[in-house]
Amino acid sequence: MNFPLFKSYCSKVARKRPKPSSNAAGFSLIELIVVVLMIAILSAIAAPGWLAFVNRQRVAKVSDAVFSAMQEAQREAKRTKLSYSVSFREKDGVPQVATHRTFDEDRNLIINDIATQDEAWKRVGEGLEIKANQVLLCSNVGTDFNKEGSLTCDLSTPRTITFDYLGNLAETATGDEAHTPLIVTAGIPQSNNSSDVIDATKRCVQVKTLIGSMQVGQEDECNP
């Protein structure tokens, strides 16, 4: 093979190969701006829907935790043949729950003492990373256990539901028959300082009968 001739031929072919134009080398500034604007517009459209979805998920998980706490108190009452209670409160914008005995060994009511025992309380849905004022708890349980009152989202004073040794709703502290339904509602506050929840996010647990049957509900079903 004549190598000099072959080398000359390759050089000519390389010179004839078309060079890429500068226009095909990448995106123009205008094209990048258009793409960025389209992404921003789509994000603005999708953001409210995504936020609503996240809020509904938070409320559903908190409501599930409320239901589990009620079930735990009722289960312990049946297991130990003692009266057990579940209390809810709000502290520093965070909903909290405590499952505890209703009376001590001397039959002294200890529900009021629970309010001062911070170690007895844990966040509702502990581990869900619910921050302050993200989810609000409301209830129609009065300041006396099992006593029905007006629906309120001010749970700075704990609200308590108590089950007797059979797992039924116990008589109230004054000896009256427990009122039903007793409701604990979770929802997204209308603002950081609001005492009302957005109706579309409401999820609740209701103790429907004196035998302690429970039912979950949402939105209008959460109204007393």
Side-chain angles (χ1 to χ4, degrees), residues 149-160:
S150 300
L151 183 66
T152 178
C153 299
D154 179 10
L155 300 191
S156 53
T157 300
R159 309 304 163 110
T160 299

Side-chain angles (χ1 to χ4, degrees), residues 24-100:
F27 296 105
S28 69
L29 179 60
I30 293 178
E31 289 172 329
L32 287 175
I33 291 174
V34 170
V35 170
V36 170
L37 286 175
M38 289 178 64
I39 293 174
I41 292 171
L42 291 175
S43 298
I45 294 173
W50 173 252
L51 181 60
F53 170 77
V54 170
N55 283 338
R56 287 194 298 269
Q57 289 296 103
R58 284 185 183 139
V59 170
K61 289 178 179 179
V62 169
S63 183
D64 288 345
V66 168
F67 186 49
S68 296
M70 289 188 184
Q71 286 184 315
E72 180 185 356
Q74 188 179 52
R75 186 167 54 248
E76 284 300 296
K78 293 178 180 179
R79 183 184 68 83
T80 62
K81 298 302 178 185
L82 297 170
S83 180
Y84 256 80
S85 299
V86 56
S87 297
F88 300 93
R89 75 175 184 181
E90 178 272 325
K91 186 173 183 181
D92 299 327
V94 177
Q96 297 181 331
V97 61
T99 302
H100 53 89

